[in-house]
Amino acid sequence: MIRKIITSIMLIGTALSMTAQIERPKLVVGITVDQMRWDYLYYYYNQFGEGGLKRLVDEGFSCENTMINYVPTVTAIGHTSIYTGSVPALTGIAGNDFMINGKSTYCTQDDEVQSVGSNNKDGQMSPHYLLASGIGTVMKIATDYKAKVIGIALKDRAAILPAGHGADAAYWWDTAAGHYVSSTYYMKELPQWVQKFNKENQQTPGKNVKGSVEGVTMTFKMAEAAVENEQLGQDDTPDLLAVSVSSTDYIGHAYGTRGQENHDVYMQLDKDLTHFFNYLDQKVGKGNYLIWLSADHGGMHNYNLMNQHNIAAGAYAAWTECDQFNEKFKAEHGFKAVTMVNADRIYLNHQAIDSAHIDLQSVKKEVAEFLKQNNNRVYRVVDYENIMNTTLPEPIRERIINGYNPDRSGDLYVITIPGTVDATPDPKYIGTGHSVWNPYDSHIPLVFMGWHIKKGQTSTPTRIVDIAPTICELLHIQMPSACVGDAINEVIHQ
């Protein structure tokens, strides 16, 4: 009798444990559209088909007031912050380019690895400068390393930084080779399916696929091939596919936020998303995958176009102004004080300044005063180390602090007046740029769709760093190691 009771209790316990299993989607897909302004969702809405971006808006949950909470607003940082839920101060990815110990450094360059798929330096890349874990890493840990994590983009940094450490693979486009490559950080040779894909989609070496509409299609073809051949989303362990669309950024830089070129690339994105969503519906199953779409940054409307309509706008190139300062400083001291200018961050030559027994603070002050007096588009020049004693609107000060990594961000940060693009003034300029705190660069789309997501939207303020903790809470896994974001309640508790 006792044995029967014990057996019954064990059966009940087993049944309860089975019904209490944590539900998770089979596949998580992150889509980052490089330089996609939030308002593109609505500016082009009436021209979208039914199955792509319009489906996202109509079926998904949109966070309409999502802002980037750091500066500079550039590609490497944006992709990193989406997946880590963190900011440059903690992730170490302080820009596309930055300086470490006085040496100019590209965010994913790694001379210790070799290219896989070509013999070019374009493949010598890895996430080794990234100091924080991302969604893929914590998915790996939570599933005892059974989850597959793959990053795909035309830009190396847009594939590598989202995939993060411990990824199974990251693939990016080698223009000189005319196909996708990876590095020995991930593998010794390209999988057979990637070799086959490259052979079938080989482009003329040197062709600018990244700056073409065709680049969007190539990205999603590769994403579908990864799902198919790696069997992503085909078992009970959730996988992660990080996809970034790079062509939108190249075209925006060249042609601006308006015009035929920008229109065409977003129409192509819409068509390719339609095909991709339909493919996932069939391969993984509608409702079995969780997807979000966002952007790494936005972009400002072309200032020459705005000037034609009596709208105040302009351009400012900090590097040009610093070249002028360097000429003046060298004439007085025999060396250049500024070694690098990138995304309005100014790096000083600490070694030379120290060797010359010149006070660093006095040089900072001299540079700041020169830049402020030399150009009326400069609002303030901030000393990173003295930011807390600088009178600034709090949201701007917070973003500067969040973007400052003391080992990689330089010494000074230039704040320009509203309506200023980071570019050399040119009356023939038709493109755009980005990097500043203003809404045109920092207001990004964020739409969730699929597994356990109901239609809706919120205007509650959200931030780019809230994406990762939201995904992690939906999956019931721990957030990444440097995460400073918060799960979005409206998405979690629907």
Side-chain angles (χ1 to χ4, degrees):
M1 183 67 178
I2 294 175
R3 184 176 294 175
K4 289 183 178 180
I5 293 172
I6 292 173
T7 302
S8 298
I9 292 172
M10 290 176 64
L11 289 172
I12 292 171
T14 302
L16 287 172
S17 66
M18 291 177 64
T19 58
Q21 281 185 330
I22 299 300
E23 287 188 78
R24 293 187 173 118
K26 290 180 175 295
L27 177 63
V28 179
V29 182
I31 299 175
T32 307
V33 183
D34 206 319
Q35 204 189 115
M36 183 176 182
R37 292 166 54 102
W38 163 79
D39 57 356
Y40 285 166
L41 287 175
Y42 305 102
Y43 179 72
Y44 290 123
Y45 180 84
N46 291 336
Q47 300 177 64
F48 292 146
E50 297 301 320
L53 287 162
K54 186 177 285 189
R55 176 179 170 182
L56 268 175
V57 174
D58 292 350
E59 292 185 14
F61 189 93
S62 180
C63 299
E64 297 284 279
N65 193 16
T66 301
M67 306 295 289
I68 295 173
N69 61 329
Y70 54 77
V71 286
T73 48
V74 296
T75 297
I77 306 177
H79 284 80
T80 301
S81 293
I82 286 172
Y83 285 85
T84 64
S86 194
V87 293
L90 301 174
T91 67
I93 302 300
N96 296 333
D97 299 274
F98 41 85
M99 296 192 81
I100 301 178
N101 297 324
K103 180 182 177 181
S104 179
T105 304
Y106 178 62
C107 60
T108 53
Q109 90 179 56
D110 187 350
D111 295 337
E112 299 301 314
V113 301
Q114 299 301 314
S115 176
V116 173
S118 78
N119 296 317
N120 305 315
K121 287 186 69 66
D122 282 5
Q124 291 186 270
M125 305 287 169
S126 84
H128 76 128
Y129 287 123
L130 175 62
L131 305 178
S133 64
I135 297 172
T137 305
V138 293
M139 284 180 66
K140 282 277 188 183
I141 295 169
T143 60
D144 294 326
Y145 309 97
K146 296 175 183 176
K148 285 188 176 181
V149 177
I150 295 177
I152 292 172
L154 297 181
K155 290 183 181 181
D156 48 65
R157 58 188 180 271
I160 293 167
L161 296 171
H165 308 111
D168 294 275
Y171 301 106
W172 56 93
W173 192 263
D174 184 336
T175 299
H179 58 238
Y180 280 99
V181 297
S182 190
S183 81
T184 52
Y185 177 86
Y186 303 99
M187 62 193 72
K188 293 181 179 179
E189 63 178 2
L190 293 178
Q192 287 296 318
W193 71 265
V194 177
Q195 295 181 40
K196 181 174 183 290
F197 182 93
N198 282 341
K199 185 177 181 180
E200 294 174 349
N201 295 277
Q202 177 67 42
Q203 301 294 304
T204 303
K207 179 182 177 182
N208 185 20
V209 173
K210 295 178 183 178
S212 70
V213 169
E214 291 80 8
V216 180
T217 303
M218 189 70 73
T219 301
F220 283 104
K221 285 177 68 176
M222 183 63 170
E224 291 180 18
V227 173
E228 186 72 31
N229 291 280
E230 297 290 349
Q231 292 294 291
L232 302 182
Q234 297 304 300
D235 56 30
D236 293 332
T237 302
D239 300 315
L240 173 66
L241 177 62
V243 182
S244 180
V245 179
S246 305
S247 297
T248 44
D249 183 67
Y250 283 90
I251 288 172
H253 277 297
Y255 300 103
T257 62
R258 294 291 185 264
Q260 193 64 45
E261 293 83 2
N262 193 272
H263 169 274
D264 289 350
V265 75
Y266 277 93
M267 293 303 104
Q268 189 62 52
L269 172 64
D270 181 54
K271 292 177 183 177
D272 290 331
L273 277 175
T274 299
H275 190 279
F276 186 55
F277 292 160
N278 288 338
Y279 170 79
L280 292 179
D281 287 343
Q282 296 299 316
K283 183 67 179 180
V284 184
K286 191 173 183 179
N288 287 332
Y289 61 91
L290 170 63
I291 199 164
W292 84 86
L293 180 142
S294 191
D296 53 348
H297 55 74
M300 189 180 117
H301 296 310
N302 179 265
Y303 64 90
N304 286 318
L305 177 62
M306 289 195 285
N307 289 166
Q308 292 172 19
H309 295 274
N310 293 323
I311 300 172
Y316 175 76
W319 60 89
T320 300
E321 305 292 327
C322 284
D323 283 345
Q324 295 178 28
F325 176 83
N326 270 339
E327 291 178 12
K328 172 180 174 293
F329 193 89
K330 186 176 181 180
E332 297 171 356
H333 301 282
F335 66 93
K336 296 179 180 180
V338 179
T339 57
M340 178 177 175
V341 180
N342 182 273
D344 292 326
R345 298 163 301 151
I346 298 172
Y347 296 77
L348 299 181
N349 190 339
H350 286 231
Q351 183 176 355
I353 292 170
D354 183 61
S355 296
H357 303 291
I358 302 173
D359 180 59
L360 179 63
Q361 294 304 316
S362 68
V363 178
K364 288 182 180 180
K365 184 177 180 181
E366 189 177 349
V367 174
E369 290 178 350
F370 179 88
L371 296 180
K372 185 73 172 67
Q373 295 169 6
N374 212 44
N375 197 302
N376 61 10
R377 300 211 72 83
V378 175
Y379 168 57
R380 297 291 292 274
V381 181
V382 176
D383 179 351
Y384 273 125
E385 291 188 341
N386 195 38
I387 184 66
M388 293 307 295
N389 297 319
T390 305
T391 305
L392 285 171
E394 187 56 38
I396 301 175
R397 177 162 51 191
E398 179 188 2
R399 294 181 193 195
I400 294 172
I401 292 171
N402 285 342
Y404 174 55
N405 182 289
D407 297 321
R408 302 182 180 187
S409 294
D411 299 277
L412 303 170
Y413 181 75
V414 181
I415 308 172
T416 50
I417 63 173
T420 303
V421 70
D422 182 18
T424 303
D426 181 354
K428 296 182 180 179
Y429 180 70
I430 61 172
T432 189
H434 54 84
S435 69
V436 298
W437 69 269
N438 307 73
Y440 39 81
D441 283 359
S442 64
H443 189 189
I444 55 173
L446 175 56
V447 188
F448 298 86
M449 187 183 78
W451 181 85
H452 286 198
I453 301 296
K454 297 179 181 177
K455 173 180 170 56
Q457 64 175 228
T458 180
S459 293
T460 301
T462 51
R463 304 159 299 170
I464 191 171
V465 295
D466 296 335
I467 299 172
T470 300
I471 295 298
C472 290
E473 185 160 336
L474 285 168
L475 296 178
H476 298 287
I477 63 176
Q478 184 58 272
M479 63 185 70
S481 59
C483 185
V484 295
D486 300 300
I488 303 168
N489 281 326
E490 291 91 333
V491 176
I492 302 296
H493 303 293
Q494 290 186 316

